[in-house]
Amino acid sequence: GKPKGVLVPHSNVTRLFAATQSMFHFNNQDVWTLFHSYAFDFSVWELWGALLYGGTLIIVPYFVSRSPKTFYELLGNQGVTVLNQTPSAFRQLIQIEEQGICSDLNLRLVIFGGEALEFQSLKPWFERHGDKYPQLVNMYGITETTVHVTYRHLTKADLNKTGSVIGIPIPDLQAYILGPSLQLIPIGVPGELYIFGAG
């Protein structure tokens, strides 16, 4: 759709983490990576997720971010617990494991964002790791809404879904599908996604 000009104050970052803390339980034992460019809104989540809760932030060198094997090894060597990835980047990590390259990973959360997630791409991961630990989470959002709007904890059952299921709004936001006259429309009828709330 057409982007809307929206002021994004710093308070929206603290609001985002306050709203999601009950879902993720971030803490000072967590180790995060700053994998993405600081010009990409996903980096706001990575940077402040670590710093607001007293965790450790591993700044991933550019050349490491471009080598899935080296990045996979970094995850194990640094004991990363919270990994934020676009689905396409995570697919490359899955391929590393399929090549027989495995490290002892300490991940407790893998959070997807930035692009549509094809659930079938997670099949090899679920076959190797199951769907309980680490927990995989699909999140949707855009810069204007301060990084994340919705979340969905993923399970093996999601492999049977089509499209990119984005889940439900985080606790302090609402999402509505509206028609051309801004009226609520029924399930199955195309419309535009409208986000409401403090984000």
Side-chain angles (χ1 to χ4, degrees):
K2 181 180 178 185
K4 283 77 175 171
V6 177
L7 179 66
V8 182
H10 292 154
S11 61
N12 273 357
V13 176
T14 55
R15 177 222 48 90
L16 171 67
F17 284 100
T20 56
Q21 178 60 359
S22 64
M23 300 179 308
F24 297 121
H25 308 287
F26 299 131
N27 61 69
N28 62 0
Q29 301 300 307
D30 279 324
V31 179
W32 297 62
T33 58
L34 177 59
F35 177 85
H36 299 92
S37 164
Y38 60 80
F40 181 26
D41 67 350
F42 214 169
S43 70
V44 170
W45 175 256
E46 293 176 305
L47 279 164
W48 294 105
L51 299 177
L52 284 172
Y53 295 102
T56 301
L57 180 65
I58 307 298
I59 299 173
V60 180
Y62 179 80
F63 73 90
V64 174
S65 72
R66 296 303 178 253
S67 168
K69 179 180 182 292
T70 307
F71 181 58
Y72 185 90
E73 291 168 351
L74 177 143
L75 295 176
N77 295 338
Q78 297 293 329
V80 172
T81 61
V82 180
L83 176 62
N84 301 280
Q85 290 279 273
T86 60
S88 56
F90 191 70
R91 279 194 300 272
Q92 294 178 356
L93 295 179
I94 292 173
Q95 290 170 357
I96 291 298
E97 285 193 342
E98 289 178 323
Q99 294 170 13
I101 301 167
C102 292
S103 291
D104 289 332
L105 298 178
N106 197 33
L107 295 173
R108 71 177 188 88
L109 287 164
V110 177
I111 300 169
F112 299 113
E115 63 190 37
L117 172 64
E118 297 171 11
F119 289 120
Q120 275 298 313
S121 69
L122 300 176
K123 186 176 181 185
W125 178 269
F126 282 143
E127 287 173 351
R128 183 180 299 273
H129 299 277
D131 62 3
K132 300 289 185 247
Y133 202 86
Q135 177 65 64
L136 273 56
V137 180
N138 191 28
M139 297 191 82
Y140 161 79
I142 57 175
T143 304
E144 292 87 347
T145 59
T146 316
V147 189
H148 295 305
V149 172
T150 67
Y151 72 100
R152 180 182 179 86
H153 291 276
L154 303 173
T155 67
K156 290 180 183 178
D158 289 314
L159 295 175
N160 300 321
K161 302 214 182 300
T162 57
S164 182
V165 180
I166 63 172
I168 61 174
I170 59 177
D172 66 341
L173 298 176
Q174 302 87 45
Y176 299 100
I177 307 295
L178 303 180
S181 301
L182 301 184
Q183 78 280 13
L184 284 171
I185 56 176
I187 292 173
V189 176
E192 286 190 322
L193 179 62
Y194 281 76
I195 309 300
F196 294 86

